[in-house]
Amino acid sequence: MSADVKPEPLIRLESLHKWFGTLHVLKGIDLSVRPGEVVCVVGPSGSGKSTLLRCINLLEEPTAGKVWFEGRDITDIRTNLNKVRTQIGIVFQQFNLFPHKTASQNVTVALEKVLRKPKDEARETAERELAHVGLRLKADSYPGQLSGGQQQRVAIARALAMAPKVMLFDEVTSALDPELVKEVLDVMRRLASEGMTMIVVTHEMGFAREVGDRMIFIDEGVIVEEGLPADLLSKPSNPRTQSFMGKIL
């Protein structure tokens, strides 16, 4: 492939709509994300950012439109959703760890139950991914013995253990004390440097400027503006984007 030929999108959203009853949350989203790209999604509360992520890995079923992953329409009813969700990892604002299981056990649960990995292999994978997020020495600690930042890193390790091809991050630092935010963002910076495809819903504009390849501003269920993070942060062209950035910067 020549240098000027762009790779096919890893994820492509085609006229994506989502209704919750009479509430129209997503209003025809079109978006393509290429392998290795870091796309940061910003916008006011209630604009549809989290719903967008949940529709990408089909935790929420789109009301209309299609989600393409590796060139396949995964909204097709014949899709193996469990397989798709192992390849599209998602990390939420809340850690959702099992309090009665150690960090290692939290990581191995899905490996054993979903991927049917032998216990020894699952344990090795858990130890490797916990080391990947800087928690090698906390493998046998329970969530109650870990800080919020450490718990969130366990949640990231749990998603990475499934060997996903893309990672979705939904405001993963917003429940953390300010001094714990950096340790989670550092893990995400490392993943980006390793070439992980990432879609990141965030209010961390410094991270978006530094790590993001592209920024998308969503308001009222539509993509209002997109471009280089530095451009949207310093010289947005749409009045709605200008108003939003003016309030948060």
Side-chain angles (χ1 to χ4, degrees), residues 42-237:
V42 303
S45 297
S47 59
K49 305 183 301 294
S50 294
T51 300
L52 176 66
L53 289 193
R54 293 173 68 87
C55 283
I56 289 174
N57 79 340
L58 303 179
L59 285 174
E60 294 287 354
E61 183 180 352
T63 308
K66 293 181 178 181
V67 180
W68 299 82
F69 175 63
E70 294 189 311
R72 293 178 295 120
D73 174 14
I74 60 173
T75 47
D76 187 297
I77 59 171
R78 294 166 293 186
T79 298
N80 182 335
L81 291 183
N82 285 334
K83 183 176 181 181
V84 166
R85 289 180 186 138
T86 66
Q87 298 176 325
I88 306 177
I90 188 166
V91 183
F92 300 99
Q93 176 179 336
Q94 302 300 329
F95 322 126
N96 299 323
L97 300 179
F98 294 109
H100 61 290
K101 293 183 181 294
T102 64
S104 178
Q105 290 168 341
N106 268 281
V107 176
T108 60
V109 168
L111 291 171
E112 294 175 14
K113 295 190 180 300
V114 178
L115 299 186
R116 305 294 183 187
K117 299 284 188 184
K119 282 187 180 295
D120 288 348
E121 184 180 339
R123 173 78 188 194
E124 285 179 13
T125 300
E127 290 177 352
R128 181 180 69 245
E129 295 304 340
L130 286 169
H132 196 186
V133 300
L135 292 175
R136 182 176 60 85
L137 300 179
K138 297 292 186 179
D140 296 320
S141 298
Y142 290 89
Q145 299 171 311
L146 301 174
S147 70
Q150 290 170 332
Q151 290 183 64
Q152 190 60 287
R153 284 188 280 155
V154 172
I156 294 173
R158 177 178 58 189
L160 291 175
M162 306 298 280
K165 296 182 179 178
V166 59
M167 287 283 288
L168 313 177
F169 293 93
D170 188 11
E171 297 280 16
V172 295
T173 59
S174 60
L176 301 177
D177 292 334
E179 66 269 20
L180 301 178
V181 169
K182 182 179 182 298
E183 64 189 52
V184 175
L185 294 182
D186 282 347
V187 169
M188 294 167 65
R189 286 186 182 93
R190 191 179 320 126
L191 291 177
S193 72
E194 294 167 357
M196 175 63 76
T197 309
M198 297 161 55
I199 305 175
V200 184
V201 171
T202 185
H203 283 114
E204 300 290 341
M205 297 304 164
F207 171 85
R209 182 191 292 270
E210 174 192 349
V211 179
D213 296 301
R214 188 158 40 117
M215 178 179 281
I216 291 169
F217 174 65
I218 292 184
D219 192 18
E220 297 182 359
V222 299
I223 294 178
V224 175
E225 188 172 353
E226 64 177 289
L228 295 173
D231 290 344
L232 259 70
L233 288 167
S234 61
K235 49 183 178 185
S237 59

